Amino acid sequence: MEHSPAISMPASAQVLAEIISAQMEMTAALPDSDAIMHLLVQHGMDMTGASGASIGVRDGDDLFFPVTEGLSAGWGNVRYPLASTLTGQCLVSGELSCVPDLDGISRATPHLSGTVNIRSLLVVPLRHRDQTVAALSLAASEPDAFSETDILVTQLLAGLAGSALAHAQAYGELLDAKEQAEEASAEAAEFAGMIAHELGSPIAAIHHASEVLGLEHLSPQQTRARGLIELETKALRLLMGDLRAASAQERDSFDLHPEVVPLSDLLEEARDFAVTAPGDHPIRLEQWPVVNVLADPGRIAQVLRNLITNAAKYTPPEAAITIRARQDKDRVWIEIIDGGPGIDPEDAPFIFAKF
């Protein structure tokens, strides 16, 4: 069995390949910021030979380390004043800090006290545009552990990770905003449903009072007034139905109850409603195929009433409104044709948007 010969590459090419690999892994980890930070810590230790690493994040005037490895493991789960730590100073200034030998300054940095094994520390800011989002700290147990090449490699890794973390943060904020918007929408839908429910009683009372008036002998003027009450009560009931339907749809409880119904029943009901529309429009009901359709009668009636109301609103007075249906294979198309000006082409893309 033949073996492929080992490929030798310059050290710089090897480093570049590892950086590209780190970038691909961090990109694949989006939008998981914890995974990105763990990858950065691991690659930083592997590529510099560091014995410990951590990610420092600012929280107001405090610093904490959400990710720690190796010699830096003891820094986790503790908060430190920013100014008292080299990592905190890096977060504030946005400047790299490399201390070849920490002997003699450990006591001045609380997070280093008790970590006598750490002699060298390299702290590099993770930046995105003009913002420092975090800081990477690499620790070693011997002095002068980090070369110029180590510093350059760490800066490259930090630059890649800074952008990745910023994108992950933006994605998290977007999800939070979406969740808040959905909660607000649900509350609005609940409120709309409650209002629709509460409107039912006064509308029913008005309708009942109108029916009682119809039992009396009314003058022509009173008859017209009663007719107007009936017309507006019907309109209020339609609006209440629309409010309930919109509320149900926002709450993901918009139920359909399809059944087999004669097409003629749907069209004749639409015609009866159209006759009551304002504007004295002649209503033309064209011939239709004699078929049964599978539909939710209430929802289809609601759609047709909305279309007819819109047609009556924009059609000139006494101009005709036509209702017609045609069959196309296994589907039936119902059309409401008016004499209005039509929809502006600029508005056409938005006709199915809410409100």
Side-chain angles (χ1 to χ4, degrees):
M1 179 177 179
E2 295 185 0
H3 296 276
S4 300
I7 299 176
S8 175
M9 66 173 65
S12 58
Q14 179 67 34
V15 169
L16 180 60
E18 292 180 12
I19 289 175
I20 292 173
S21 175
Q23 180 184 26
M24 293 175 64
E25 290 179 22
M26 286 188 285
T27 301
L30 283 169
D32 189 339
S33 58
D34 286 340
I36 293 169
M37 288 189 288
H38 278 95
L39 285 169
L40 174 61
V41 163
Q42 194 59 57
H43 282 289
M45 292 174 65
D46 290 344
M47 296 184 69
T48 64
S51 303
S54 65
I55 302 292
V57 179
R58 181 175 184 173
D59 183 15
D61 293 329
D62 292 336
L63 163 74
F64 71 98
F65 298 93
V67 176
T68 58
E69 291 286 346
L71 294 178
S72 307
W75 301 353
N77 302 319
V78 181
R79 289 179 178 268
Y80 306 93
L82 278 175
S84 68
T85 64
L86 295 174
T87 305
Q89 294 165 20
C90 174
L91 286 170
V92 174
S93 67
E95 299 294 332
L96 176 148
S97 176
C98 183
V99 182
D101 193 347
L102 287 165
D103 191 26
I105 70 166
S106 296
R107 289 183 174 80
T109 52
H111 69 301
L112 295 178
S113 61
T115 54
V116 295
N117 291 329
I118 296 179
R119 293 292 300 276
S120 302
L121 189 67
L122 173 61
V123 185
V124 180
L126 276 60
R127 299 179 60 83
H128 179 66
R129 297 177 180 170
D130 58 348
Q131 182 183 7
T132 301
V133 297
L136 169 65
S137 299
L138 296 176
S141 57
E142 65 276 356
D144 298 308
F146 301 109
S147 66
E148 291 294 328
T149 300
D150 291 332
I151 294 174
L152 177 59
V153 166
T154 306
Q155 285 180 301
L156 290 173
L157 284 173
L160 298 174
S163 297
L165 284 176
H167 291 144
Q169 180 181 4
Y171 182 80
E173 292 172 352
L174 182 63
L175 287 182
D176 290 342
K178 179 176 180 292
E179 183 177 345
Q180 292 174 8
E182 288 175 348
E183 290 176 356
S185 179
E187 291 176 1
E190 193 69 31
F191 180 74
M194 181 184 68
I195 293 298
H197 177 75
E198 294 299 324
L199 282 174
S201 296
I203 291 174
I206 294 171
H207 177 68
H208 179 68
S210 176
E211 288 183 331
V212 172
L213 285 174
L215 299 176
E216 304 292 332
H217 178 72
L218 302 177
S219 67
Q221 184 177 5
Q222 291 172 328
T223 300
R224 285 195 299 272
R226 178 178 176 273
L228 181 61
I229 291 173
E230 284 292 316
L231 185 64
E232 294 304 320
T233 301
K234 183 177 292 186
L236 282 172
R237 281 180 165 170
L238 289 174
L239 289 173
M240 186 173 65
D242 291 343
L243 195 58
R244 282 176 173 164
S247 172
Q249 193 169 23
E250 288 293 334
R251 295 195 305 265
D252 292 329
S253 58
F254 188 82
D255 297 326
L256 294 175
H257 303 284
E259 59 184 80
V260 177
V261 292
L263 176 63
S264 58
D265 289 357
L266 299 177
L267 297 180
E268 288 171 359
E269 182 181 330
R271 178 195 56 195
D272 293 343
F273 172 79
V275 170
T276 67
D280 297 325
H281 303 289
I283 307 302
R284 297 174 182 168
L285 186 57
E286 294 189 356
Q287 294 293 324
W288 60 80
V290 182
V291 294
N292 293 332
V293 294
L294 180 65
D296 183 326
R299 296 302 186 193
I300 291 296
Q302 184 182 15
V303 171
L304 293 176
R305 288 196 298 267
N306 286 338
L307 292 174
I308 290 168
T309 300
N310 195 67
K313 180 178 180 181
Y314 291 102
T315 297
E318 301 183 3
I321 295 174
T322 300
I323 304 172
R324 74 182 182 193
R326 57 185 174 85
Q327 186 172 359
D328 181 10
K329 297 181 181 179
D330 62 344
R331 293 182 179 274
V332 169
W333 297 83
I334 300 176
E335 298 173 334
I336 309 298
I337 304 168
D338 61 52
I343 298 172
D344 191 313
E346 294 183 359
D347 296 330
F350 309 107
I351 60 175
F352 292 110
K354 190 185 301 182
F355 307 122

